[in-house]
Amino acid sequence: MKARPHLDSVLAAARQLIIPSLAVLSAFVAGAVVVAAAGFNPVQTFAALLDGAFGSGINFTETLVKSTPYLFTGLGVAIAFRSRSFNIGAEGQFYMGALAVSWLGVAITGLPSFILIPLLLAAAFVAGGAYGAIPGYLKAKVGASEIVTTVMMNSIAVQIVSWIIKGPLQEPRHFYPETAEIVNAAKLPVLVPGTRLHLGLVIGLAMAVAAYILIFKTVLGFQIRAVGSGALAAEYAGINVRRNVVLAMAISGGLAGMGGAVELLGVTWKLYSNFSPGYGYSAIAVALLAKRNPLAVILTSLLFGALATGANNMQRAAEVPAMLASVMQALVIFFVLGYAVYEDRFARYWAERKPRDRGPHAAAAGKEAAGSNA
Amino acid sequence: MVPLYALETRGITKRFGALIANDQIDLTVKPGEVLSLLGENGAGKTTLMNILYGLLRPDEGQILVGGRPVEFRSPRQAIDLGVGMVHQHFMLIPAFSVAENVVLGMRKKTGAVISRTRLRSSIREFSHRYNFDLDPDARVGDLPVGLQQRVEILKSLYRGAQILILDEPTAVLTPQETGDLFRVIRHLQGEGKSVIFISHKLNEVMEISQRVTVLRLGKVQGTVETSATSPAELAKMMIGRDLAAPSSPRTGGYTGPTLSLQGLTVRREGKEACSGISLDVWGGEVLGIAGVDGNGQNELVEAILGTAPVASGRVILDGRDITGKGPARAIDAGLALVPEDRQTRGLIMDFSIAENLILESHRAAPFRRGFFIDEAQVNRFAAGMIQTFDIRSGGGASAPASSLSGGNQQKVVLAREISREPKVLVVMKPTRGLDVGATEYVHRRLLEERAKGKAILLVSSELEEIKGLSDRIAVMHRGAVTGLVWPDVSEEDLGQLMTGAKTMLSALGPRGGGEQ
């Protein structure tokens, strides 16, 4: 008796993977056509891509390093999407988190790593969270579209950073447009000697688990999901819709901000222009491909990390411009959104294969309703 | 030569997956005849009508119009062959005039340039011919529902419909408007046009049609001459057993006003949606609110819940002032609400049955444990509710609400609201879209709650439901209470109260309750 629902949920989870996998596969097929049209050998190109991403120990750790910022921003976007807030602002929130630690990581001296690092991450969470809460508040209070406000706030964040790295926080010699290097105690420890793989990945994985628990096991997560799936019913049930929208946006921004901090503390050690190659934007695809499930974000961020590292190798080995990797990313997004259309039909197909024993009459009522809506 | 049947179907069968929505349907309509199509929700009426109107294609069977086999691939082909349909929800553009709505989407008669004067005069002619009393220049959005329906009918007639399908046409009408509609139908009949009248209201079917075809579970149960049958016989054919009359055991007494609305005025978008409403709902009584949809009922309920802005007046629940305090406070004070639209306001369709059952109560023990939700408690509770309320779910408590039939969805809402042991139960159109069996169940549950001393406010536009369940009836028209009457009020009076033609305040407190 007990094993059965378990098996069912495993099967259900497996079915969830079919559409995203098809999307990725289709993206590669379409990508092959593009590569061939550009005059390259698709087999060679993809071999180089795969080799670059997973071909050796060092390549694989590089993939993991590249995946880490996608993981944080992807988690953030996934949580906002759960409340039906389309946070397009992970990019700006990522920058705000990085900005906070680029300052505090230089300013605070004399603290040991095990105190300083959590402190910096918390500061980044607060900075990104506040930056996400502003559009959340505007949405809740006056109904301003968060899609518009978050995009605008991305531009503001980028402009603030480009001013600050030439102004108040410019490195002491005032020569390069970048901040000073953070103190050694603030740098994230390397996990595997001889690689760049740093503790940020572990923190990210822990955050994915925490986000999963938050969304599916807590009162707050229940309310966020309720607001996202049925705002009117949630409101009627006495759930404070505005408060939950603001909170979801704040947590979302906080995670993106932490991502910026982890990238800075683990990889770059300082802040400069184009610090993010668009992690916050790709995060939207990472979250959608994962169907807003925090645990699945682990897999989808790995895919995006692999595309990024693989692209470099593709350029070196197959002499295919790295731009084609961007084309691949775009194709993945395109197909994910495209297949979403088929998702409902697919779900219906499975529902019909496993008819529920609610009697032909009740089923007929459902059908009739469905028919008349069409 | 005139063919025997204006429209005929032979062996129409339509399957959705494993389900047979229409099973070998034979149906005939004679020229100049009104045929009623009677059946519960889910009996296959809508599927059949969508096939006749070209929206769905049958898997098997044949449709004959005027004795010739035809095949509809789209509604346009259906209308070209003279089959017109008036949907339950009108397909009109409110901002357009009557004339514009009538010609909208027509190709043949108009050409590229529409001559407005010619159009107006021809529509006026049509309107006059059928006694429609329609001004071609009136904005459709400004017209009452009864006249909007006539615009729909006019649309079909203007396109040359010989056979008119009316899908639950009286659901949105007052008794007077229904009478007007029946006069129109008889006029059409006199011109030799055929009408298929879809309804589940037995008295209307008896009044207007010559023959009745009854559908049940996708099959034709039989076709009878109206003159040779009775409502009881039709009901039996429709549900397969005798219909139990809603009984209202009067056990408890009245316990005094539990919900008290004092001069409640609600303004929305600059308009006064509710004007100075004062009503007391006593413990142990059902106070019915009758009225045509859109006369302030929704705003009244939202004001009680605390989601609509209250301009003045107060809402007192069990001695506590909850005016404008929001749903959470109202719920905590003892309010339960079964909203009209269960799919967007009553339930979260993506959520499981268990999650929907704790939508309100998750905030406190035993379901809340610190930051977390105690899943074991939730599952135990859900399993109990599924049993107590006989919620039929193939997937158990973890199945999404969207997988349930309408009746079972409503049971989830009822289970959630009743299980919280509220003091006041506000119920809006609780049986809308439910079949007869589920309707009986919902009514029985409500009367049980009344017997337990709960104050029940029942908002419905189904007069039968209101009269059958209520101890007193309040009638709303344009945001004001025009009547406070006993349930034995005549339909005539009720209709006049609903249109604001008169005012009648006789039932100020429940019978025998005033002397307490």
Side-chain angles (χ1 to χ4, degrees):
Chain A
M1 267 318 273
K2 213 161 161 62
R4 179 72 192 160
H6 223 84
L7 182 69
D8 270 358
S9 66
V10 168
L11 281 175
R15 279 203 299 278
Q16 299 270 305
L17 287 175
I18 294 176
I19 294 282
S21 307
L22 273 177
V24 172
L25 200 70
S26 310
F28 273 89
V29 171
V33 174
V34 173
V35 168
F40 301 99
N41 180 343
V43 177
Q44 257 176 25
T45 306
F46 286 140
L49 185 86
L50 267 180
D51 182 51
F54 302 108
S56 68
I58 189 83
N59 288 2
F60 184 54
T61 57
E62 272 306 296
T63 292
L64 293 179
V65 169
K66 279 278 182 210
S67 303
T68 304
Y70 289 116
L71 177 55
F72 280 96
T73 51
L75 285 175
V77 172
I79 285 183
F81 278 15
R82 283 280 170 187
S83 76
R84 195 159 290 184
S85 298
F86 296 96
N87 180 12
I88 316 294
E91 184 79 359
Q93 294 141 15
F94 185 85
Y95 267 111
M96 282 298 146
L99 180 61
V101 297
S102 74
W103 168 48
L104 295 173
V106 175
I108 303 175
T109 52
L111 283 180
S113 286
F114 71 92
I115 295 174
L116 182 57
I117 288 171
L119 195 71
L120 290 175
L121 291 178
F125 190 93
V126 170
Y131 211 67
I134 294 169
Y137 180 78
L138 292 175
K139 179 190 182 184
K141 194 72 188 171
V142 297
S145 162
E146 75 282 13
I147 299 175
V148 175
T149 51
T150 51
V151 167
M152 292 195 298
M153 288 187 67
N154 285 343
S155 301
I156 296 172
V158 168
Q159 293 307 320
I160 289 176
V161 165
S162 71
W163 162 68
I164 230 155
I165 56 177
K166 284 176 227 145
L169 290 185
Q170 192 174 17
E171 48 87 25
R173 286 178 300 149
H174 293 282
F175 186 69
Y176 296 108
E178 60 186 33
T179 60
E181 192 172 305
I182 52 170
V183 298
N184 281 333
K187 293 175 184 169
L188 292 175
V190 168
L191 295 178
V192 182
T195 71
R196 295 204 298 168
L197 185 62
H198 55 84
L199 190 66
L201 176 69
V202 178
I203 300 170
L205 293 174
M207 283 299 137
V209 174
Y212 179 85
I213 291 171
L214 173 78
I215 286 297
F216 291 108
K217 306 285 176 191
T218 68
V219 173
L220 177 59
F222 182 85
Q223 296 197 347
I224 287 175
R225 284 188 294 125
V227 166
S229 307
L232 274 173
E235 188 189 2
Y236 268 49
I239 294 171
N240 189 331
V241 174
R242 295 174 172 196
R243 177 171 160 267
N244 280 292
V245 164
V246 176
L247 278 175
M249 282 295 288
I251 295 168
S252 170
L255 284 168
M258 253 178 114
V262 163
E263 183 70 0
L264 193 138
L265 303 181
V267 180
T268 68
W269 300 336
K270 50 191 158 196
L271 185 59
Y272 41 81
S273 286
N274 300 325
F275 170 76
S276 162
Y279 291 127
Y281 293 111
S282 303
I284 297 159
V286 171
L288 284 179
L289 189 60
K291 301 175 77 181
R292 309 176 303 164
N293 183 325
L295 292 183
V297 168
I298 297 173
L299 290 178
T300 56
S301 61
L302 185 67
L303 172 72
F304 275 70
L307 280 174
T309 35
N312 288 333
N313 193 55
M314 200 167 86
Q315 189 165 23
R316 277 194 307 272
E319 291 178 351
V320 175
M323 285 304 279
L324 274 173
S326 306
V327 172
M328 288 299 305
Q329 285 193 1
L331 285 170
V332 170
I333 298 168
F334 183 81
F335 279 101
V336 168
L337 297 178
Y339 276 113
V341 175
Y342 289 92
E343 195 118 52
D344 287 344
R345 290 186 201 179
F346 190 71
R348 220 172 298 153
Y349 169 78
W350 274 98
E352 275 174 19
R353 267 185 56 123
K354 216 176 78 178
R356 306 189 184 282
D357 52 339
R358 51 192 162 112
H361 190 181
K367 273 301 170 199
E368 198 175 19
S372 63
N373 288 342
Chain B
M1 214 203 102
V2 182
L4 183 56
Y5 297 120
L7 182 96
E8 183 179 1
T9 72
R10 289 182 190 160
I12 293 280
T13 298
K14 178 73 189 172
R15 294 185 196 85
F16 295 104
L19 177 114
I20 305 178
N22 279 175
D23 190 358
Q24 297 289 329
I25 304 283
D26 295 327
L27 183 111
T28 56
V29 194
K30 295 173 195 155
E33 180 188 49
V34 178
L35 174 83
S36 282
L37 192 64
L38 189 65
E40 292 189 78
N41 288 298
K45 297 183 304 243
T46 305
T47 303
L48 182 61
M49 286 308 113
N50 284 336
I51 288 171
L52 291 181
Y53 194 54
L55 286 168
L56 288 173
R57 300 185 66 186
D59 297 322
E60 286 166 33
Q62 221 181 6
I63 302 170
L64 293 87
V65 172
R68 284 210 325 267
V70 293
E71 206 171 315
F72 297 145
R73 281 194 201 82
S74 70
R76 198 182 288 279
Q77 279 185 320
I79 193 71
D80 285 348
L81 284 161
V83 180
M85 180 149 176
V86 175
H87 295 268
Q88 204 173 338
H89 305 285
F90 304 147
M91 313 279 169
L92 297 169
I93 298 180
F96 279 18
S97 72
V98 170
E100 285 166 334
N101 267 289
V102 168
V103 294
L104 190 72
M106 280 184 77
R107 287 185 305 194
K108 278 186 195 159
K109 288 190 180 168
T110 54
V113 181
I114 300 173
S115 156
R116 285 188 180 259
T117 26
R118 271 232 316 269
L119 176 65
R120 260 194 232 119
S121 66
S122 82
I123 285 178
R124 201 166 283 129
E125 205 177 292
F126 253 84
S127 168
H128 185 71
R129 186 166 131 205
Y130 295 102
N131 267 330
F132 271 7
D133 189 26
L134 280 172
D135 171 11
D137 294 321
R139 238 176 49 105
V140 162
D142 297 335
L143 297 177
V145 177
L147 288 184
Q148 289 192 18
Q149 191 174 53
R150 286 188 201 171
V151 178
E152 277 283 11
I153 295 173
L154 188 63
K155 248 168 83 179
S156 288
L157 295 175
Y158 198 75
R159 286 162 171 71
Q162 289 302 313
I163 303 150
L164 208 56
I165 303 172
L166 305 175
D167 188 8
E168 306 250 357
T170 61
V172 290
L173 303 182
T174 63
Q176 276 85 353
E177 285 174 326
T178 300
D180 291 343
L181 173 69
F182 283 2
R183 272 189 287 283
V184 168
I185 290 177
R186 292 202 182 95
H187 188 103
L188 294 174
Q189 220 183 328
E191 287 203 336
K193 297 194 193 315
S194 312
V195 174
I196 301 180
F197 182 82
I198 304 175
S199 181
H200 60 256
K201 291 181 184 168
L202 297 170
N203 51 351
E204 289 176 358
V205 166
M206 292 298 293
E207 185 183 339
I208 193 68
S209 50
Q210 282 78 57
R211 285 189 307 143
V212 186
T213 295
V214 183
L215 288 186
R216 182 154 63 91
L217 302 177
K219 288 192 181 122
V220 173
Q221 289 301 305
T223 300
V224 290
E225 300 275 335
T226 316
S227 55
T229 187
S230 67
E233 190 195 350
L234 289 177
K236 198 169 175 180
M237 284 170 77
M238 184 163 79
I239 63 174
R241 62 184 161 80
D242 286 316
L243 183 62
S247 62
S248 42
R250 170 89 271 163
T251 49
Y254 303 107
T255 56
T258 313
L259 176 68
S260 185
L261 311 178
Q262 304 172 352
L264 207 55
T265 298
V266 179
R267 261 188 219 107
R268 196 169 254 183
E269 285 150 18
K271 279 190 209 155
E272 209 160 272
C274 294
S275 320
I277 292 187
S278 294
L279 286 173
D280 282 336
V281 191
W282 289 51
E285 88 162 331
V286 175
L287 178 69
I289 298 217
V292 179
D293 281 355
N295 273 284
Q297 298 97 319
N298 289 344
E299 286 80 4
L300 179 70
V301 169
E302 292 217 325
I304 297 171
L305 183 67
T307 54
V310 174
S312 64
R314 296 199 299 164
V315 181
I316 312 287
L317 198 156
D318 198 29
R320 274 204 265 179
D321 188 341
I322 56 164
T323 320
K325 297 244 167 80
R329 297 282 282 280
I331 288 166
D332 289 344
L335 179 73
L337 172 64
V338 177
E340 171 181 354
D341 188 348
R342 61 181 153 268
Q343 303 206 339
T344 62
R345 287 179 162 82
L347 294 170
I348 296 181
M349 298 305 274
D350 295 348
F351 268 29
S352 70
I353 295 169
E355 285 173 321
N356 272 299
L357 283 169
I358 60 158
L359 212 51
E360 288 143 354
S361 48
H362 73 275
R363 284 188 289 261
F367 303 123
R368 180 187 195 136
R369 227 178 35 196
F371 286 117
F372 294 93
I373 287 189
D374 188 334
E375 276 179 50
Q377 286 282 1
V378 173
N379 289 334
R380 205 171 313 140
F381 172 71
M385 284 295 124
I386 284 175
Q387 198 163 31
T388 313
F389 285 81
D390 189 29
I391 299 164
R392 309 267 171 89
S393 158
S398 60
S402 57
S403 72
L404 299 177
S405 68
N408 282 297
Q409 286 173 1
Q410 190 71 323
K411 283 180 184 174
V412 175
V413 178
L414 274 178
R416 179 180 74 216
E417 299 303 323
I418 291 176
S419 67
R420 285 192 296 109
E421 290 293 334
K423 299 190 178 85
V424 174
L425 192 55
V426 176
V427 209
M428 298 186 78
K429 297 194 183 172
T431 56
R432 184 185 181 198
L434 301 190
D435 61 42
V436 175
T439 299
E440 272 182 333
Y441 181 87
V442 170
H443 286 168
R444 187 160 53 77
R445 276 283 175 181
L446 290 179
L447 293 175
E448 276 172 29
E449 290 307 301
R450 177 180 73 178
K452 283 194 226 158
K454 307 280 160 68
I456 299 177
L457 187 71
L458 167 72
V459 181
S460 178
S461 51
E462 296 269 342
L463 292 183
E464 257 173 76
E465 178 166 63
I466 289 268
K467 291 180 84 173
L469 294 179
S470 307
D471 297 77
R472 287 187 297 149
I473 300 172
V475 186
M476 283 184 76
H477 172 68
R478 296 213 177 138
V481 173
T482 51
L484 204 50
V485 293
W486 305 113
D488 53 14
V489 63
S490 71
E491 294 248 329
E492 189 66 34
D493 282 343
L494 212 45
Q496 288 188 341
L497 293 170
M498 283 163 73
T499 51
K502 71 168 160 186
T503 315
M504 216 169 136
L505 299 167
S506 51
L508 295 174
R511 260 190 242 273
E515 287 93 54
Q516 272 191 340

